[in-house]
């Protein structure tokens, strides 16, 4: 266990340094970029090791895995992020556990979250997932759907929209990642022009292990990193 924490701490320190360097290169500071440590590849012990290594923002892409880990790791200073697709029938169990849902990709899902949040008397923070890559396998709103959703957003007063999220295309390397990430920023700037005052689009959740530096150059405020944090650890 100690070895695990040590290895993960080294990996976290290395990633934090790279985040700081990329942020400075983009004329920003390390504090402008939040690290969400994605623990989906591993189990409870590894998530606990991430916490021990100082990561307080933990991301899971599958609701079921998030439920299991959140039940096992009841630490007060843990903030769980749901970063993957959320089916509406899983909203009820997920909502009380998470501090931010990155992956709202339909008005129907937003409505369900709003209703459920109302029932448990809380306001749920969310990001809207946008499909910037044109990849049909990926979830996410088109720009027109995003605009429509934002127009209706004020009706849903138990959700707090904080920004946008995207994933770059799998293929295409840095050039395509740059295009996809700058597209999210430009869409955000465009949408923010006539956005209802209740809505904030300040957060941009974009960038993973292989492309987070590119994302930071393009304005990411949240990066979601998994594999790099588990470098050198056998599954
Ligand atoms: C798995 C996952 C990540 C992290 O991916 P790595 O390449 O391992 O850093 C980030 N975002 C989402 C939505 C994911 O599913």
């Amino acid at each position: 266990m100690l070895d695990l924490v040590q290895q993960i701490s080294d990996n976290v320190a290395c990633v934090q340094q790279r985040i700081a360097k990329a942020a400075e290169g983009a004329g920003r500071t390390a504090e402008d970029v939040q690290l969400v440590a994605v623990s989906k590849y591993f189990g409870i012990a590894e998530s606990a090791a991430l916490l021990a290594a100082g990561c307080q923002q933990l991301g899971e892409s599958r609701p079921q895995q998030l439920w299991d880990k959140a039940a096992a790791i009841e630490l007060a200073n843990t903030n769980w992020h749901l970063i993957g697709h959320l089916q509406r029938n899983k909203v009820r169990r997920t909502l009380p556990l998470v501090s931010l849902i990155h992956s709202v990709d339909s008005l129907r899902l937003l409505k369900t979250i709003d209703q459920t949040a109302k029932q448990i008397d809380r306001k749920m923070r969310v990001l809207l997932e946008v499909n910037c890559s044109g990849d049909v396998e990926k979830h996410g709103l088109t720009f027109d759907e995003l605009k429509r959703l934002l127009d209706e957003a004020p009706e849903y007063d138990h959700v707090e929209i904080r920004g946008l999220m995207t994933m770059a295309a799998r293929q295409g390397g840095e050039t395509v990642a740059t295009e996809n990430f700058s597209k999210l920023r430009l869409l955000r700037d465009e949408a923010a022009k006539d956005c209802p005052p209740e809505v904030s689009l300040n957060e941009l959740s974009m960038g993973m292990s292989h492309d987070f530096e590119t994302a930071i150059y393009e304005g990411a405020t949240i990066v979601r990193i998994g594999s790099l944090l588990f470098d050198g650890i056998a599954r």
Side-chain angles (χ1 to χ4, degrees), residues 15-30:
V15 166
Q16 291 286 17
Q17 270 174 18
R18 286 175 59 182
I19 289 174
K21 196 158 170 242
E24 277 157 32
R28 305 163 62 205
T29 66

Side-chain angles (χ1 to χ4, degrees), residues 122-201:
R122 78 175 276 205
K123 197 155 178 164
M124 188 66 231
R125 290 181 177 182
V126 305
L127 305 178
L128 306 175
E129 182 172 358
V130 180
N131 185 336
C132 287
S133 66
D135 187 341
V136 290
E137 282 167 35
K138 285 204 164 69
H139 294 284
L141 303 156
T142 64
F143 183 62
D144 287 341
E145 290 166 341
L146 172 68
K147 294 278 283 182
R148 237 175 292 143
L149 192 153
L150 288 173
D151 286 342
E152 294 201 29
E155 285 178 41
Y156 303 107
D157 55 2
H158 286 79
V159 289
E160 190 178 324
I161 297 174
R162 309 280 295 212
L164 305 180
M165 180 272 219
T166 202
M167 286 170 87
R170 246 180 289 257
Q171 311 285 333
E174 201 182 319
T175 316
V176 170
T178 301
E179 275 172 27
N180 292 167
F181 295 147
S182 70
K183 184 170 171 188
L184 189 72
R185 192 192 60 236
L186 295 170
L187 290 184
R188 187 274 307 274
D189 294 349
E190 185 62 31
K193 279 183 197 160
D194 47 14
C195 192
E198 296 85 347
V199 170
S200 155
L201 295 179

Side-chain angles (χ1 to χ4, degrees), residues 111-128:
K111 284 181 188 174
T112 304
I113 292 173
D114 179 66
Q115 285 162 1
T116 310
K118 188 173 181 179
Q119 284 160 12
I120 62 172
D121 195 25
R122 78 175 276 205
K123 197 155 178 164
M124 188 66 231
R125 290 181 177 182
V126 305
L127 305 178
L128 306 175

Side-chain angles (χ1 to χ4, degrees), residues 38 40-41 61 83-84 165 167 207-210 224-228:
V38 179
K40 70 179 182 203
Y41 307 101
S61 60
I83 61 173
M165 180 272 219
M167 286 170 87
M208 308 173 19
S209 289
H210 62 286
R224 312 175 307 266
I225 299 182
S227 321
L228 271 183

